[in-house]
Each structure stands twice: as structure tokens, then as C-alpha cells.
Amino acid sequence: MELPPSAAHRAAYPLTRLPERVRTRLTELARTHAPLAAYLYDPDTAAARARELRAALPDWAAVYYAVKANAHPAVLAGLADHVDGFEVASVSELTLARTALDARTDPRPAAAPTPVLAAGPAKSTAVLTALVRADAESINAESLLELHRINHIAQRHGTTARVSLRVNPAHIPLTGSLQMGGVPSAFGVPEPDVPAVLAEAATLPALDVVGFHIHAASGNLDAESHAAYVRWCVTWATDTARAHGIDLRQIDTGGGLGVAFEDEKPFDTARFGALIADTPPPPGVRVILEPGRYLAAECGWYAAEVTDLKNSYGHWYAMLRGGINHFQLPTSWDIVHNIAVLPVDDWPAELPRPTAEDAPLTVVGELCTPEDTLLRDVRVDRIRAGDLVVFPNAGSYGWEFAMPHFLGHPAAERHVL
């Protein structure tokens, strides 16, 4: 017996939610890569987002793409000409970023630092050494011990390393998003410890402290509250640098720009840029934003074939060729990733073809665990075994964020429009 319709059942996205070029390419891939489980990326979409953001910002603001969100070489290459640099967290990401930067249409001067910033709460000696040798624009130092390690490595290589001190502020004036400051954390130096850490950093001869890194927000869709946060970062960094004799050149405010899902209102970049323009930093100081998901989310789609479709006690389940081994984000963050159903007409004549129409559906993966559930209670007009389930907004924290080795199934493919 079918479950009665419920207002709680969200409707699946209409096919028009998928650009025609995406539908065409996925249909082609379904014929040649069956059973399909793949990401499809459009680097031009990420580049357009970067251009839109940069156009809204004052001249003293810079955009560095967080490679962790999507490290596909084509995406990095598409962004390289439209961002000021990249934020990296590993030797692998550093290598990918440098390759994309080297292919820029307008290459950097030979003597200029490599436009990468480095993050991470527990950077290894290998990572720090690679950053120093690459002449990274800034290493965001997370602790006093890390400052000493960077100094030691820079001395060994006969150079000076530029660092920004990552700070965990005691209080941040931010509402409407996940806050990552003002509470105990593995990230950054607690604000009360900053004076002592800066004093000791001044004694380390191979360090050049250029500023501060304060990444205390995530997923913020409210342009006004995020502008207030950035203005607060500028004021705090300026006052702290003046009080401790720091030659301030850089204020890194992290990422935190939200991506709209379902019926959420998108982040208003024009409003945000106008609001932060009212509080410029001191002359010669750059304010840095490190968006990752904001630039990459809309440039990717995850598509997987429905390998089976079954009705269990009145509720339909679509079993996909992939699951959290390919696309773990829906189970990890408080985000609802809705789907579109792309019909695939090819089907073996000798096999029955289960079909559900106007029915609530739960979408699960191929793994032997109930945790492998990607979407619950979505109402579909029609879905059949062999059709494709497509997740828009899968361009960030998708392929990189999954757990591909669990049960040893083949990894998701990656294709570029």
C-alpha cells in the first residue's frame, strides 16, 4: 500500500534545473559508461562566480580559492585567471595550485612570491618545507610551535618566511551561520594568548609576520552579517597590529560565503561589497577572502544510475551505483541535496523494469550500511531502474570529501564539460 502524500515530502527538481548541455552530456555518458557514477564539472561556471564576486569587492579585497573544495585540475585552471591566488592545505594541493598558476594568461613576475596561502591546524614538516621552498605568499601559522618550526625551516633554507597568525577570537559579532570562533578549538591561537605569541614571534629571525588569519564563519547567506564580520576583522587586526608593532599587510577573513539550497535566498555579493567598502583597511593592507564552496558548488553535478528500485512496506527506495563512497556530503553536513531524475530509455528487453510514479522516495547507495542514505522522502513524478539520479550543487566537497575505499567499489569518475 502506498504511503499517503505528505506536505513534508519535497518535490524533486524539474529537469529544467539541469542545463541542457549537462543533460546531453550525462545522457551520452550513461550510454558509454554504464552503470554510470560520475561527477561532471563546468569550470566556466566556477569562473563566472569568481568574476561576479571580484567585481563586487573593493580594490583592496582579494579572492583566494580554497583548493580543498574541488581540486580537479580543470576547475583550478578555469579559476586561475579570475582569482588572486589559491589557499592550500597539503603538498598535493600546493602542486596543483602551482600548475594552474603557471598556466595563467597573465603570469606573475618571476621575482614575485607564489600567490598561495596555507592553512591547516597540524601542518607537517614536509608541508611547511614545501611552502617555504615555494616562497608562499603567506603561511597561516596555527600555534607558537608552528611558528618555531617555520622559522627553523626558513633558516635552514637561507630565506625568510611570511606568516600570518591564525587567531581564535574570544568573541565575534556574527549571526546567521556556523560560527568557528569564541569557543575551544583546535584552530588558531586563543585571543588572550596573542600578545605573548606575537612577542616571541618577534624574536624569530627568519619570520616576517604580515598579518592575521581569522576564519570564524561558514555557510553564511546573510550579506549584512558577513559584512559586519569582515569589518570587525579589519578593525581587530588593525588595532592589534598597532598595539604590538606588527607591520600589517594582510587581513585574512577566511571563507564562509554561503550557497543557497532549495528555496534559500542567495548571498547578495553586490550588497556585501558595498557594505565592506565603508570600512577600508589602512593603506597598503589587503583584506583576503578564501571562498571554496561558494565558487565551486554550482560548477558540479553528481550523477549515478539507479541500479535497482524497490517498494518496501509502501515506501520506494532507489539504489544507486554510488553512495557515500562517492558523495558523502549529504550525510555529513546539515544540507539537503535535492535531486533531478534524468530519464534513460535504454533498458535490456529481457529484464523487468521497476517504476515508481508520483511517489515518495528515499535515495540510497550501494554500501552495506544504513548510513549510506543520500536523500529521504523526496517526491518524484517518475523514476525507473536505469534512470540517472542527478545531484546539482555537487561541485564542492564532493569527490574530494568522499570515502572511496570503503568496501572497495570503483571510485566515481570525473568528467568535464
Side-chain angles (χ1 to χ4, degrees):
M1 183 178 73
E2 290 287 343
L3 291 175
S6 167
H9 295 149
R10 63 180 49 84
Y13 289 137
L15 273 179
T16 53
R17 177 68 183 258
L18 304 180
E20 184 177 355
R21 67 190 187 283
V22 172
R23 300 198 300 268
T24 299
R25 183 64 184 281
L26 289 176
T27 300
E28 293 171 351
L29 290 170
R31 294 194 185 104
T32 57
H33 293 70
L36 182 67
Y39 286 90
L40 181 62
Y41 300 132
D42 180 12
D44 289 344
T45 296
R49 294 283 280 184
R51 288 194 300 270
E52 176 193 14
L53 177 59
R54 288 192 65 180
L57 298 176
D59 291 342
W60 42 259
V63 175
Y64 283 66
Y65 171 66
V67 175
K68 64 177 70 68
N70 185 328
H72 192 280
V75 174
L76 300 185
L79 283 168
D81 281 323
H82 308 287
V83 296
D84 295 280
F86 294 101
E87 184 264 342
V88 303
S90 68
V91 174
S92 174
E93 288 187 356
L94 174 62
T95 301
L96 288 166
R98 295 183 75 182
T99 299
L101 291 165
D102 287 344
R104 270 180 165 175
T105 303
D106 184 16
R108 64 190 174 91
T114 301
V116 296
L117 311 176
K123 302 179 198 68
S124 67
T125 299
V127 170
L128 293 173
T129 299
L131 292 165
V132 170
R133 294 181 65 180
D135 192 24
E137 205 166 82
S138 178
I139 303 172
N140 295 327
E142 299 267 356
S143 71
L144 181 58
L145 175 57
E146 189 164 277
L147 287 168
H148 277 272
R149 283 196 174 114
I150 298 168
N151 178 72
H152 178 73
I153 292 167
Q155 284 184 310
R156 199 169 68 234
H157 286 81
T159 188
T160 299
R162 289 170 294 274
V163 298
S164 290
L165 185 67
R166 180 165 183 176
V167 177
N168 178 357
H171 172 72
I172 50 173
L174 182 66
T175 59
S177 73
L178 172 64
Q179 297 192 25
M180 300 169 63
V183 295
S185 172
F187 297 99
V189 174
E191 185 176 350
D193 298 342
V194 167
V197 172
L198 289 177
E200 188 154 348
T203 69
L204 302 177
L207 294 187
D208 178 12
V209 179
V210 299
F212 300 98
H213 175 55
I214 308 171
H215 177 48
S218 179
N220 195 0
L221 288 170
D222 186 336
E224 296 202 5
S225 74
H226 205 76
Y229 160 69
V230 170
R231 292 196 300 265
W232 177 87
C233 289
V234 170
T235 300
W236 184 92
T238 302
D239 292 346
T240 303
R242 185 182 299 116
H244 298 284
I246 300 299
D247 178 15
L248 183 65
R249 282 153 280 166
Q250 180 174 297
I251 304 169
D252 189 338
T253 66
L257 307 185
V259 174
F261 287 80
E262 296 291 289
D263 296 325
E264 293 177 316
K265 184 179 179 181
F267 187 84
D268 189 339
T269 53
R271 177 69 173 154
F272 172 70
L275 288 170
I276 66 169
D278 292 341
T279 311
V285 177
R286 291 192 312 162
V287 175
I288 294 174
L289 284 75
E290 294 179 359
R293 182 158 53 121
Y294 182 78
L295 298 186
E298 292 185 1
C299 84
W301 298 262
Y302 173 66
E305 179 179 321
V306 179
T307 57
D308 204 350
L309 187 70
K310 70 174 67 171
N311 190 297
S312 179
Y313 296 102
H315 188 81
W316 285 96
Y317 287 82
M319 275 68 72
L320 304 186
R321 154 65 182 89
I324 58 176
N325 53 331
H326 293 171
F327 189 42
Q328 189 180 3
L329 187 57
T331 68
S332 301
W333 291 2
D334 189 19
I335 296 172
V336 175
H337 275 268
N338 206 342
I339 60 168
V341 179
L342 182 59
V344 175
D345 292 332
D346 295 342
W347 183 256
E350 68 275 12
L351 296 179
R353 191 171 196 185
T355 301
E357 296 184 344
D358 189 26
L361 179 80
T362 292
V363 180
V364 302
E366 62 187 340
L367 306 181
C368 300
T369 169
E371 300 299 320
D372 194 16
T373 300
L374 302 182
L375 181 63
R376 300 181 188 274
D377 296 330
V378 59
R379 181 166 288 277
V380 296
D381 292 334
R382 186 183 74 161
I383 189 170
R384 304 167 297 178
D387 287 341
L388 293 182
V389 165
V390 185
F391 292 84
N393 282 329
S396 64
Y397 298 103
W399 189 87
E400 289 80 1
F401 196 61
M403 44 190 296
H405 299 295
F406 184 50
L407 296 191
H409 290 295
E413 301 168 8
R414 293 187 291 175
H415 301 273
V416 179
L417 276 173

